[in-house]
Amino acid sequence: DAGVTQSPTHLIKTRGQHVTLRCSPISGHKSVSWYQQVLGQGPQFIFQYYEKEERGRGNFPDRFSARQFPNYSSELNVNALLLGDSALYLCASSFWSKGGTEAFFGQGTRLTVV
Amino acid sequence: DQQVKQNSPSLSVQEGRISILNCDYTNSMFDYFLWYKKYPAEGPTFLISISSIKDKNEDGRFTVFLNKSAKHLSLHIVPSQPGDSAVYFCAASANSGGSNYKLTFGKGTLLTVNP
């Protein structure tokens, strides 16, 4: 069975540009969450989507947005990129919308903003 | 405000010995805890979890202990193997009354198992 898949794996963008990251959850999982991990820190929660609805948002600016599609895949969009947006972006999928269960992560997208 | 703290940035142990990784939390609402292992250039891999209604959970070489009164949990790996060398993250979620699933992570502990 395929795990969580993310694309692309690496990306280099220029300040001010826009980026779209994609995620396909584990088959049967309806919840997708996005996390940002900068060097030396643990992953930080950005968004959670369940059944195409936003269920949670972390402390990130409005330049960050996301959506979930009918097949439960998801996109994370970041506008007006800043150097500080350089990070590993992780997607996690889980069966339920709430906790108390495991979340499984993809391999991540390494975004570098120059 | 760091709600989940892993105070040891690194830990080195000999192959075959026990590895003990520690984690402290401050949010009393946390009621589900997870440990993840992360290799460079990969996403975190789920290892083991524990609900706040339990104080111990075992899965093979991995055991997680939870001390709610001390707001402390630990991951024991016995015996440690060189392939266990990775960054270990402690994570917590607060499920009661919530409508979403948000994990709060510590900064991680780099475990090195020496042959």
Side-chain angles (χ1 to χ4, degrees), chain B residues 37-40 81-88 110-114:
Chain B
K37 176 173 73 173
K38 187 178 183 302
Y39 295 118
Q81 300 173 354
D84 295 329
S85 297
V87 177
Y88 288 77
L110 173 62
L111 173 66
T112 303
V113 181
N114 301 302

PDB file of all heavy atoms in Angstrom, chain B residues 37-40 81-88 110-114:
ATOM      1  N   LYS B  37      10.333   8.773  14.657  1.00  0.00           N
ATOM      2  CA  LYS B  37      11.746   8.693  14.324  1.00  0.00           C
ATOM      3  C   LYS B  37      11.937   9.340  12.958  1.00  0.00           C
ATOM      4  O   LYS B  37      11.122   9.151  12.053  1.00  0.00           O
ATOM      5  CB  LYS B  37      12.178   7.227  14.270  1.00  0.00           C
ATOM      6  CG  LYS B  37      13.616   7.012  13.843  1.00  0.00           C
ATOM      7  CD  LYS B  37      14.005   5.540  13.995  1.00  0.00           C
ATOM      8  CE  LYS B  37      13.377   4.652  12.964  1.00  0.00           C
ATOM      9  NZ  LYS B  37      13.900   3.269  13.052  1.00  0.00           N
ATOM     10  N   LYS B  38      13.024  10.112  12.826  1.00  0.00           N
ATOM     11  CA  LYS B  38      13.252  10.787  11.556  1.00  0.00           C
ATOM     12  C   LYS B  38      14.702  10.642  11.114  1.00  0.00           C
ATOM     13  O   LYS B  38      15.627  11.025  11.821  1.00  0.00           O
ATOM     14  CB  LYS B  38      12.883  12.272  11.660  1.00  0.00           C
ATOM     15  CG  LYS B  38      12.932  12.995  10.322  1.00  0.00           C
ATOM     16  CD  LYS B  38      12.521  14.435  10.463  1.00  0.00           C
ATOM     17  CE  LYS B  38      12.489  15.145   9.109  1.00  0.00           C
ATOM     18  NZ  LYS B  38      13.770  15.101   8.402  1.00  0.00           N
ATOM     19  N   TYR B  39      14.848  10.096   9.908  1.00  0.00           N
ATOM     20  CA  TYR B  39      16.155  10.054   9.259  1.00  0.00           C
ATOM     21  C   TYR B  39      16.297  11.310   8.394  1.00  0.00           C
ATOM     22  O   TYR B  39      15.304  11.885   7.971  1.00  0.00           O
ATOM     23  CB  TYR B  39      16.294   8.819   8.371  1.00  0.00           C
ATOM     24  CG  TYR B  39      16.276   7.503   9.114  1.00  0.00           C
ATOM     25  CD1 TYR B  39      15.275   6.566   8.880  1.00  0.00           C
ATOM     26  CD2 TYR B  39      17.262   7.177  10.030  1.00  0.00           C
ATOM     27  CE1 TYR B  39      15.261   5.351   9.541  1.00  0.00           C
ATOM     28  CE2 TYR B  39      17.251   5.960  10.698  1.00  0.00           C
ATOM     29  CZ  TYR B  39      16.245   5.058  10.447  1.00  0.00           C
ATOM     30  OH  TYR B  39      16.242   3.858  11.107  1.00  0.00           O
ATOM     31  N   PRO B  40      17.539  11.730   8.121  1.00  0.00           N
ATOM     32  CA  PRO B  40      17.745  12.885   7.241  1.00  0.00           C
ATOM     33  C   PRO B  40      17.065  12.681   5.894  1.00  0.00           C
ATOM     34  O   PRO B  40      17.050  11.566   5.371  1.00  0.00           O
ATOM     35  CB  PRO B  40      19.273  12.941   7.089  1.00  0.00           C
ATOM     36  CG  PRO B  40      19.797  12.267   8.301  1.00  0.00           C
ATOM     37  CD  PRO B  40      18.814  11.184   8.626  1.00  0.00           C
ATOM     38  N   GLN B  81      20.053  -0.637  18.543  1.00  0.00           N
ATOM     39  CA  GLN B  81      20.743  -1.121  17.358  1.00  0.00           C
ATOM     40  C   GLN B  81      21.259   0.079  16.561  1.00  0.00           C
ATOM     41  O   GLN B  81      20.656   1.159  16.603  1.00  0.00           O
ATOM     42  CB  GLN B  81      19.792  -1.954  16.487  1.00  0.00           C
ATOM     43  CG  GLN B  81      19.223  -3.165  17.179  1.00  0.00           C
ATOM     44  CD  GLN B  81      18.162  -3.866  16.358  1.00  0.00           C
ATOM     45  OE1 GLN B  81      17.753  -3.385  15.296  1.00  0.00           O
ATOM     46  NE2 GLN B  81      17.713  -5.005  16.845  1.00  0.00           N
ATOM     47  N   PRO B  82      22.349  -0.092  15.805  1.00  0.00           N
ATOM     48  CA  PRO B  82      22.875   1.028  15.020  1.00  0.00           C
ATOM     49  C   PRO B  82      21.836   1.650  14.090  1.00  0.00           C
ATOM     50  O   PRO B  82      21.841   2.861  13.872  1.00  0.00           O
ATOM     51  CB  PRO B  82      24.037   0.388  14.235  1.00  0.00           C
ATOM     52  CG  PRO B  82      24.504  -0.713  15.121  1.00  0.00           C
ATOM     53  CD  PRO B  82      23.248  -1.265  15.765  1.00  0.00           C
ATOM     54  N   GLY B  83      20.917   0.843  13.575  1.00  0.00           N
ATOM     55  CA  GLY B  83      19.861   1.359  12.702  1.00  0.00           C
ATOM     56  C   GLY B  83      18.869   2.251  13.417  1.00  0.00           C
ATOM     57  O   GLY B  83      18.055   2.921  12.776  1.00  0.00           O
ATOM     58  N   ASP B  84      18.931   2.286  14.749  1.00  0.00           N
ATOM     59  CA  ASP B  84      18.051   3.177  15.521  1.00  0.00           C
ATOM     60  C   ASP B  84      18.577   4.605  15.523  1.00  0.00           C
ATOM     61  O   ASP B  84      17.893   5.520  15.985  1.00  0.00           O
ATOM     62  CB  ASP B  84      17.925   2.693  16.964  1.00  0.00           C
ATOM     63  CG  ASP B  84      17.244   1.345  17.086  1.00  0.00           C
ATOM     64  OD1 ASP B  84      16.382   1.033  16.242  1.00  0.00           O
ATOM     65  OD2 ASP B  84      17.596   0.596  18.026  1.00  0.00           O
ATOM     66  N   SER B  85      19.785   4.808  15.044  1.00  0.00           N
ATOM     67  CA  SER B  85      20.373   6.147  15.025  1.00  0.00           C
ATOM     68  C   SER B  85      19.539   7.061  14.142  1.00  0.00           C
ATOM     69  O   SER B  85      19.384   6.829  12.935  1.00  0.00           O
ATOM     70  CB  SER B  85      21.816   6.093  14.505  1.00  0.00           C
ATOM     71  OG  SER B  85      22.624   5.319  15.370  1.00  0.00           O
ATOM     72  N   ALA B  86      18.975   8.096  14.740  1.00  0.00           N
ATOM     73  CA  ALA B  86      18.057   9.013  14.057  1.00  0.00           C
ATOM     74  C   ALA B  86      17.674  10.122  15.030  1.00  0.00           C
ATOM     75  O   ALA B  86      18.080  10.106  16.197  1.00  0.00           O
ATOM     76  CB  ALA B  86      16.800   8.271  13.595  1.00  0.00           C
ATOM     77  N   VAL B  87      16.892  11.072  14.563  1.00  0.00           N
ATOM     78  CA  VAL B  87      16.298  12.083  15.446  1.00  0.00           C
ATOM     79  C   VAL B  87      14.932  11.576  15.903  1.00  0.00           C
ATOM     80  O   VAL B  87      14.138  11.115  15.077  1.00  0.00           O
ATOM     81  CB  VAL B  87      16.148  13.444  14.755  1.00  0.00           C
ATOM     82  CG1 VAL B  87      15.452  14.442  15.685  1.00  0.00           C
ATOM     83  CG2 VAL B  87      17.514  13.978  14.334  1.00  0.00           C
ATOM     84  N   TYR B  88      14.686  11.630  17.197  1.00  0.00           N
ATOM     85  CA  TYR B  88      13.426  11.169  17.766  1.00  0.00           C
ATOM     86  C   TYR B  88      12.622  12.375  18.254  1.00  0.00           C
ATOM     87  O   TYR B  88      13.116  13.192  19.031  1.00  0.00           O
ATOM     88  CB  TYR B  88      13.680  10.186  18.915  1.00  0.00           C
ATOM     89  CG  TYR B  88      14.169   8.855  18.415  1.00  0.00           C
ATOM     90  CD1 TYR B  88      15.484   8.688  18.003  1.00  0.00           C
ATOM     91  CD2 TYR B  88      13.298   7.767  18.314  1.00  0.00           C
ATOM     92  CE1 TYR B  88      15.932   7.484  17.500  1.00  0.00           C
ATOM     93  CE2 TYR B  88      13.747   6.542  17.822  1.00  0.00           C
ATOM     94  CZ  TYR B  88      15.054   6.419  17.421  1.00  0.00           C
ATOM     95  OH  TYR B  88      15.497   5.220  16.915  1.00  0.00           O
ATOM     96  N   LEU B 110      18.686  13.734  19.002  1.00  0.00           N
ATOM     97  CA  LEU B 110      19.482  12.925  18.080  1.00  0.00           C
ATOM     98  C   LEU B 110      20.086  11.756  18.833  1.00  0.00           C
ATOM     99  O   LEU B 110      20.911  11.936  19.732  1.00  0.00           O
ATOM    100  CB  LEU B 110      20.585  13.768  17.443  1.00  0.00           C
ATOM    101  CG  LEU B 110      21.596  13.005  16.572  1.00  0.00           C
ATOM    102  CD1 LEU B 110      20.900  12.365  15.377  1.00  0.00           C
ATOM    103  CD2 LEU B 110      22.733  13.911  16.118  1.00  0.00           C
ATOM    104  N   LEU B 111      19.643  10.552  18.484  1.00  0.00           N
ATOM    105  CA  LEU B 111      20.179   9.330  19.093  1.00  0.00           C
ATOM    106  C   LEU B 111      21.240   8.733  18.180  1.00  0.00           C
ATOM    107  O   LEU B 111      20.996   8.538  16.989  1.00  0.00           O
ATOM    108  CB  LEU B 111      19.058   8.317  19.321  1.00  0.00           C
ATOM    109  CG  LEU B 111      19.492   6.927  19.795  1.00  0.00           C
ATOM    110  CD1 LEU B 111      20.106   7.000  21.188  1.00  0.00           C
ATOM    111  CD2 LEU B 111      18.330   5.941  19.769  1.00  0.00           C
ATOM    112  N   THR B 112      22.399   8.455  18.756  1.00  0.00           N
ATOM    113  CA  THR B 112      23.470   7.767  18.036  1.00  0.00           C
ATOM    114  C   THR B 112      23.765   6.469  18.767  1.00  0.00           C
ATOM    115  O   THR B 112      24.075   6.485  19.962  1.00  0.00           O
ATOM    116  CB  THR B 112      24.744   8.620  17.956  1.00  0.00           C
ATOM    117  OG1 THR B 112      24.432   9.868  17.340  1.00  0.00           O
ATOM    118  CG2 THR B 112      25.818   7.912  17.149  1.00  0.00           C
ATOM    119  N   VAL B 113      23.626   5.347  18.060  1.00  0.00           N
ATOM    120  CA  VAL B 113      23.927   4.038  18.625  1.00  0.00           C
ATOM    121  C   VAL B 113      25.243   3.567  18.013  1.00  0.00           C
ATOM    122  O   VAL B 113      25.328   3.344  16.800  1.00  0.00           O
ATOM    123  CB  VAL B 113      22.810   3.026  18.349  1.00  0.00           C
ATOM    124  CG1 VAL B 113      23.155   1.676  18.970  1.00  0.00           C
ATOM    125  CG2 VAL B 113      21.478   3.543  18.894  1.00  0.00           C
ATOM    126  N   ASN B 114      26.226   3.422  18.847  1.00  0.00           N
ATOM    127  CA  ASN B 114      27.569   3.064  18.384  1.00  0.00           C
ATOM    128  C   ASN B 114      27.769   1.546  18.380  1.00  0.00           C
ATOM    129  O   ASN B 114      27.430   0.874  19.342  1.00  0.00           O
ATOM    130  CB  ASN B 114      28.621   3.705  19.283  1.00  0.00           C
ATOM    131  CG  ASN B 114      28.497   5.206  19.291  1.00  0.00           C
ATOM    132  OD1 ASN B 114      28.578   5.858  18.257  1.00  0.00           O
ATOM    133  ND2 ASN B 114      28.278   5.778  20.475  1.00  0.00           N
TER     134      ASN B 114
END
